Amino acid sequence: MLIKLRKPVMAQKFMYTSASVALGLSLFASTSVSAERNENERTDKKPSFEFGLITDIQYCDCDTAGVRYYRNSISKLQEATAELNRHDLKFTVQMGDMIDRNLDSFHTILPYFNKIEGRKYNVLGNHDFAVPTDQVVDILGMKNQYYDFAEKGWRFVVLDTNDLSLYANEPGSAKYQQAEKMYNQLKASGAENAQTWNGGAGSEQMTWLHNVLKKSVKKNEKVVVIGHHPVYPANEHNAWNDAEIMRELESAGNVAAYFNGHNHAGNYSEKNGIKYVNFRGMLDTPDTNAYSVIKAFKDRLEIDGFGREPDRTIKVNTIHEHDQEQNENDEH
């Protein structure tokens, strides 16, 4: 009888122990998944890095003309600097037209701009060429008129959309003649961006852009391209060879966004997975500012706009990523 009584007890113990182990494994798995989810959420809420962005400061010791309050750019830049320095920015990008005219304008405004803490990158704008090209590049401490740099899985590609223009090249030079030809062709076709205050990227720069984007794809980098002139949507402010630049960006497949200034009113559009953001100019209006702090995440850019600049969230949804997802689905 004792043996018969022990068997059920042992069986019950075994069943109880098995159930406990199973429950423990289940709770462990549940806890692990929950912990992983919480960690991902914490990571998702914290950006990889932040950077500042300003465009069209366009300072000049000149009287107000229309909506252009040239002298007020000093106080606006001071205000922007104070806010930007409250953030732990990896760098700040100035997207062109720091001045409106005159060499002395650089001497006045640069000390204020240089008070922004951290690395600073400059983009050339059409008004900056009130000073000869070599001189303005030297003043701004630029190694080249177009260049690129990387930050934590992102590549930033800076274009010079004044490369072919009637204001950045000596009359009679090879580039001036190329610019004149491009402008005349646009003018003859009735293109709205056939304006003498626009320009384009030359063939040498386009080849460079192609190679930089190609390398960034191999490195699995997300890309933001930055120029002074817009390229999309169609607008009178657009770079002369806007369609050519767009084709290059789209063919790469890993370009998340194109940032620019030049059109002070601002603009926004999207095409084939690329977001085109035209940031508003700091110059316009007597006292309302315009600048941004941008937070970079693995899957998006969050634009925190100040003054006239609106907030935006730019999801990283490039053609390249879409193709990768499609290929994975096809394999399954």
Side-chain angles (χ1 to χ4, degrees), residues 122-133:
N122 290 291
V123 182
L124 295 170
N126 54 302
H127 282 275
D128 297 320
F129 290 94
V131 177
T133 302

Side-chain angles (χ1 to χ4, degrees), residues 208-219 248 252 254:
W208 170 85
L209 173 62
H210 175 81
N211 291 334
V212 169
L213 293 178
K214 189 175 180 180
K215 289 177 183 176
S216 71
V217 170
K218 290 181 180 178
K219 292 181 179 180
E248 196 62 61
N254 64 335

Side-chain angles (χ1 to χ4, degrees), residues 95 232 257-261 267-269 275-279 303 309 312 314:
M95 292 202 301
Y232 186 80
Y258 178 90
F259 290 170
N260 67 272
N267 209 345
Y268 177 84
S269 194
K275 283 71 173 179
Y276 294 87
V277 188
N278 187 152
F279 289 81
I303 300 173
E309 191 60 50
R312 301 184 194 275
I314 296 176

